[in-house]
Amino acid sequence: MRISELSTRSGVSTASIKFYAREGLLPAGERTGYNQTDYSEAHLRRLRLIRSLIDVGGLPVAAAARVLASIDAPDHPLEQVLSTAQSALPQPVSPPSPASVRRAEEFVAGRGWRAGPQNPGLRILAGVLDAWAAVGREDLASVLPEYARAADVIAEADLDAVSTAVEGARTGGDRAAAAQTVVVGTVLGDQLLVGLRRIAQENASARRYRPTEGNPS
Amino acid sequence: MRISELSTRSGVSTASIKFYAREGLLPAGERTGYNQTDYSEAHLRRLRLIRSLIDVGGLPVAAAARVLASIDAPDHPLEQVLSTAQSALPQPVSPPSPASVRRAEEFVAGRGWRAGPQNPGLRILAGVLDAWAAVGREDLASVLPEYARAADVIAEADLDAVSTAVEGARTGGDRAAAAQTVVVGTVLGDQLLVGLRRIAQENASARRYRPTEGNPS
């Protein structure tokens, strides 16, 4: 198809398509004549993946490029695509305090969690501990055990999806599709959780403060 | 204290302090003489709250201003600060498809969740459904029930923290501190979860793929 059709079907402007091709996120189309380039269904699928990572996942273009490169690398173990996707996600700007990093590590160890010092979650957790301390609300750490319990539930669901994808690729499935599952799941999983948390909060709030439907406050 | 001391103690540059004051996020200091302004401990606490919302919570300045205004409004019911904080958080850029919004509403209704059509989580959830569909991975919806179960655990922990704060304010406590709990909890809770998810994923992955410590792969 021509770039105009690719643009219509993907909802991505031709200027953006050319930009993604120039930046290496989208493979170049096939030149079929003077000033004419042909794009395939694979280009359309790739473009939709790019938009998912950037629009819904909120990744900067450079981070999306790193994630896509990890999908493309043929010798990249699928299990490692997960940590590559994790590292490509936006990280806290300012480094957390050493005291909070230590507290985060102690919390992780206390739960019996196995996680290396490079895990980006440690820095994020330490940053939140710093923020609580900065506003004098260390008492908010009371939510930590329940949040951690929820994180375990989510991680198991994530790993189930990854395992299914890895198993599918081993038994002759599409490796790119498997890697895509991991990446899309990792990037969009954060957003999914943010969305469900909002809904569950309103639900929990409605049940506590307006226990019966016919009794508006 | 002078602005230079406020800057040192908060770690915020004097230029940023002046910017926040100009934008209405930070109350002006007290003029004590020609070219001299005095700042209090309250200014320092406020500045730390501002940085938490922007640096750790990732809020744009305008969104942080809206959240702070909801803390400051004396007649704003504390229970509503939660939804104000929710709405101030970044929203998806492109509106989701009507079909995905319908599916999101069906999922919420199917779980027996009570949430109004204005809940920002519905749009976020619909956006994720759109993104899955765009890359042809509707099968990833298999994670939804477990994610929703985790969201319920989190929402209960959130509401417990809110209830404690609301109760404290009713029994003569500090209303601003209570509102702060709600806002800081809402904004930083997303980040907290993102961090814990990364750690729990590595832990779950280590247990599945490297079941014994002495057996590195």
Side-chain angles (χ1 to χ4, degrees):
Chain A
M1 72 189 90
R2 301 229 187 144
I3 193 168
S4 55
E5 185 184 346
L6 182 64
S7 171
T8 307
R9 287 181 64 190
S10 65
V12 178
S13 70
T14 56
S16 292
I17 292 173
K18 287 176 182 169
F19 171 76
Y20 293 140
R22 216 162 46 231
E23 295 290 316
L25 281 73
L26 183 73
E30 194 192 343
R31 303 236 20 163
T32 53
Y34 176 71
N35 208 13
Q36 197 168 317
T37 310
D38 195 51
Y39 294 92
S40 65
E41 293 292 323
H43 284 99
L44 181 60
R45 283 196 300 274
R46 178 74 166 204
L47 210 43
R48 286 176 174 155
L49 175 60
I50 294 169
R51 294 312 294 217
S52 298
L53 296 176
I54 293 173
D55 282 356
V56 187
L59 289 196
V61 171
R66 281 197 299 277
V67 169
L68 291 165
S70 81
I71 292 185
D72 298 336
D75 53 353
H76 204 110
L78 275 176
E79 287 86 347
Q80 281 183 24
V81 175
L82 183 67
S83 57
T84 308
Q86 279 195 356
S87 315
L89 287 165
Q91 308 277 335
V93 190
S94 36
S97 71
S100 286
V101 172
R102 230 176 3 255
R103 276 202 55 211
E105 285 169 348
E106 282 165 12
F107 177 77
V108 167
R111 269 196 79 78
W113 269 348
R114 283 158 60 180
Q118 283 80 27
N119 189 295
L122 275 173
R123 281 193 301 284
I124 297 173
L125 171 56
V128 172
L129 295 178
D130 275 340
W132 284 340
V135 293
R137 308 298 318 235
E138 288 93 343
D139 57 303
L140 286 172
S142 63
V143 302
L144 271 178
E146 288 300 279
Y147 268 67
R149 191 158 75 84
D152 274 331
V153 171
I154 295 153
E156 287 300 325
D158 288 338
L159 265 283
D160 282 344
V162 171
S163 293
T164 308
V166 169
E167 204 42 54
R170 266 199 198 112
T171 58
D174 180 355
R175 195 190 170 280
Q180 210 185 65
T181 302
V182 177
V183 169
V184 172
T186 302
V187 176
L188 298 190
D190 286 345
Q191 275 302 304
L192 179 60
L193 210 45
V194 163
L196 292 174
R197 178 173 177 241
R198 308 268 179 285
I199 302 170
Q201 277 182 340
E202 181 177 340
N203 174 61
S205 186
R207 286 184 197 281
R208 286 199 195 194
Y209 297 117
R210 289 176 280 126
T212 55
E213 292 280 16
N215 182 20
S217 64
Chain B
M1 71 190 91
R2 300 229 186 146
I3 193 166
S4 55
E5 185 184 346
L6 182 64
S7 171
T8 307
R9 287 181 63 190
S10 64
V12 178
S13 70
T14 57
S16 293
I17 292 173
K18 287 175 181 170
F19 171 76
Y20 294 140
R22 215 160 48 230
E23 296 290 315
L25 281 74
L26 184 72
E30 194 193 342
R31 305 244 7 173
T32 54
Y34 177 71
N35 209 12
Q36 197 168 317
T37 310
D38 195 49
Y39 293 92
S40 65
E41 293 293 322
H43 284 99
L44 181 61
R45 283 196 300 274
R46 177 74 165 204
L47 210 43
R48 285 177 174 154
L49 175 60
I50 294 169
R51 295 311 293 219
S52 297
L53 296 176
I54 292 173
D55 283 356
V56 187
L59 289 196
V61 171
R66 281 196 299 278
V67 169
L68 291 166
S70 80
I71 292 185
D72 297 336
D75 52 353
H76 204 109
L78 274 176
E79 286 86 349
Q80 282 182 23
V81 175
L82 182 68
S83 57
T84 308
Q86 279 195 357
S87 315
L89 287 165
Q91 308 278 333
V93 191
S94 37
S97 72
S100 286
V101 172
R102 229 174 6 254
R103 275 200 58 211
E105 286 169 346
E106 282 164 12
F107 177 77
V108 167
R111 269 195 80 77
W113 269 347
R114 284 158 60 180
Q118 283 80 27
N119 190 295
L122 275 174
R123 282 193 300 284
I124 298 174
L125 171 56
V128 172
L129 295 177
D130 276 341
W132 284 341
V135 293
R137 307 299 318 231
E138 287 93 343
D139 58 302
L140 286 172
S142 63
V143 302
L144 271 178
E146 288 300 280
Y147 267 67
R149 191 158 75 83
D152 274 332
V153 171
I154 295 153
E156 287 300 325
D158 287 338
L159 265 282
D160 282 343
V162 171
S163 295
T164 308
V166 169
E167 205 42 54
R170 268 201 197 110
T171 57
D174 181 354
R175 194 189 171 283
Q180 211 186 65
T181 301
V182 178
V183 168
V184 171
T186 301
V187 175
L188 298 190
D190 286 344
Q191 276 302 304
L192 178 60
L193 209 46
V194 163
L196 291 174
R197 178 174 176 241
R198 307 267 179 285
I199 302 170
Q201 277 181 341
E202 182 177 341
N203 173 60
S205 186
R207 287 185 196 280
R208 287 200 194 193
Y209 298 117
R210 289 177 279 125
T212 55
E213 291 281 15
N215 182 20
S217 65

